[in-house]
């Protein structure tokens, strides 16, 4: 009861069967980086957690509409992003809105991911617009923007990752803008 059988047991097409393509699908109620350390899975018949066989890296990872770059989500997503990048797993990330995709891209850059598919409007996004709650004139679409990474990029000497609880990361560019603004206001 409550199990989508079609989602759980995919049947490959004849061409895929002929080529030996397999779909491996399982449900793991844990974050990906935790799964890689100690895999657990949900026994659908018993409804209980069980230890799973040794974890395997996927051929590709897809993160749909995660909001990974939003301030409240960065802590949970950073270890997974780091693992996927270090293990060179090709990874696609989608987001609802352009602003959200920019924040996701910022997290990927801070994580030194090698972005191989630049952020852009997803040609396979949902065509159905959904109204944003509490906003009169704002809409979004599922998987509206997409970007992808594989591996780690070169270290950017301008960016220094600093452990902070909250607040902005101060870069040379930000300091320069702040100084220019201060001098402008001082002259008024």
């Amino acid at each position: 009861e409550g199990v989508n059988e079609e989602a759980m047991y995919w049947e490959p097409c004849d061409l895929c069967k002929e080529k030996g393509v397999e779909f491996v699908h399982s449900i793991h109620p844990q974050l990906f980086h935790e799964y890689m350390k100690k895999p657990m899975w949900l026994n659908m018949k018993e409804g209980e957690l069980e230890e799973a066989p040794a974890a395997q890296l996927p051929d590709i990872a897809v993160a749909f509409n995660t909001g990974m770059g939003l301030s409240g989500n960065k802590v949970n997503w950073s270890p997974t992003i780091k693992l996927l990048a270090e293990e060179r797993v090709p990874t696609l990330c989608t987001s609802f809105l352009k602003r959200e995709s920019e924040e996701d891209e910022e997290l990927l850059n801070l994580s030194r991911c090698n972005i191989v598919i630049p952020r852009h409007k997803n040609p396979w996004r949902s065509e159905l617009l959904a109204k944003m709650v509490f906003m009169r004139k704002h809409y979004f679409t599922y998987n509206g923007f997409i970007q992808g990474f594989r591996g780690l990029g070169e270290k950017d000497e301008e960016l220094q990752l600093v452990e902070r609880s909250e607040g902005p990361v101060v870069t040379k560019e930000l300091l320069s803008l702040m100084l220019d603004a201060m001098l402008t206001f001082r002259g008024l």
Side-chain angles (χ1 to χ4, degrees):
E1 187 174 307
V3 175
N4 183 339
E5 295 292 325
E6 184 180 346
M8 288 298 301
Y9 306 105
W10 293 353
E11 188 66 28
C13 68
D14 292 336
L15 179 61
C16 288
K17 285 180 187 174
E18 186 179 305
K19 292 186 176 206
V21 172
E22 289 182 74
F23 291 107
V24 179
H25 182 228
S26 55
I27 296 174
H28 303 272
Q30 58 195 140
L31 300 172
F32 181 74
H33 60 276
E34 293 170 351
Y35 161 74
M36 290 304 294
K37 288 179 188 170
K38 184 178 181 197
M40 302 292 288
W41 63 12
L42 184 61
N43 180 327
M44 297 304 287
K45 292 180 180 164
E46 306 294 324
E48 295 178 9
L49 284 178
E50 297 177 350
E51 273 196 48
Q56 289 183 275
L57 288 169
D59 295 323
I60 187 170
V62 182
F64 294 106
N65 302 314
T66 64
M68 68 177 72
L70 302 175
S71 60
N73 296 340
K74 288 180 185 179
V75 172
N76 292 326
W77 274 99
S78 291
T80 291
I81 298 294
K82 181 180 180 209
L83 175 69
L84 291 168
E86 287 175 349
E87 295 294 336
R88 298 189 46 76
V89 175
T91 304
L92 293 173
C93 309
T94 70
S95 39
F96 295 110
L97 304 166
K98 182 179 180 187
R99 173 191 48 79
E100 179 187 4
S101 69
E102 291 166 351
E103 291 169 349
D104 291 352
E105 181 182 41
E106 183 179 311
L107 176 63
L108 297 178
N109 286 327
L110 286 172
S111 300
R112 296 187 318 122
C113 294
N114 179 31
I115 296 177
V116 293
I117 300 174
R119 175 180 46 82
H120 65 279
K121 194 174 274 191
N122 185 356
W124 301 285
R125 67 191 174 275
S126 171
E127 293 182 6
L128 179 65
L129 288 177
K131 185 154 179 16
M132 293 179 72
V133 180
F134 305 119
M135 304 289 267
R136 284 184 58 208
K137 298 180 181 180
H138 292 77
Y139 296 86
F140 68 91
T141 183
Y142 291 94
N143 305 305
F145 291 81
I146 190 168
Q147 56 195 313
F149 69 90
R150 182 175 190 181
L152 293 169
E154 295 297 315
K155 186 175 181 183
D156 185 346
E157 297 302 324
E158 293 277 324
L159 292 175
Q160 293 184 3
L161 299 179
V162 179
E163 295 278 336
R164 297 175 191 241
S165 57
E166 285 194 31
V169 174
V170 179
T171 62
K172 288 179 186 177
E173 182 182 21
L174 180 59
L175 285 173
S176 176
L177 288 170
M178 290 171 61
L179 182 60
D180 288 347
M182 244 176 38
L183 293 173
T184 301
F185 287 124
R186 186 180 266 175
L188 292 178

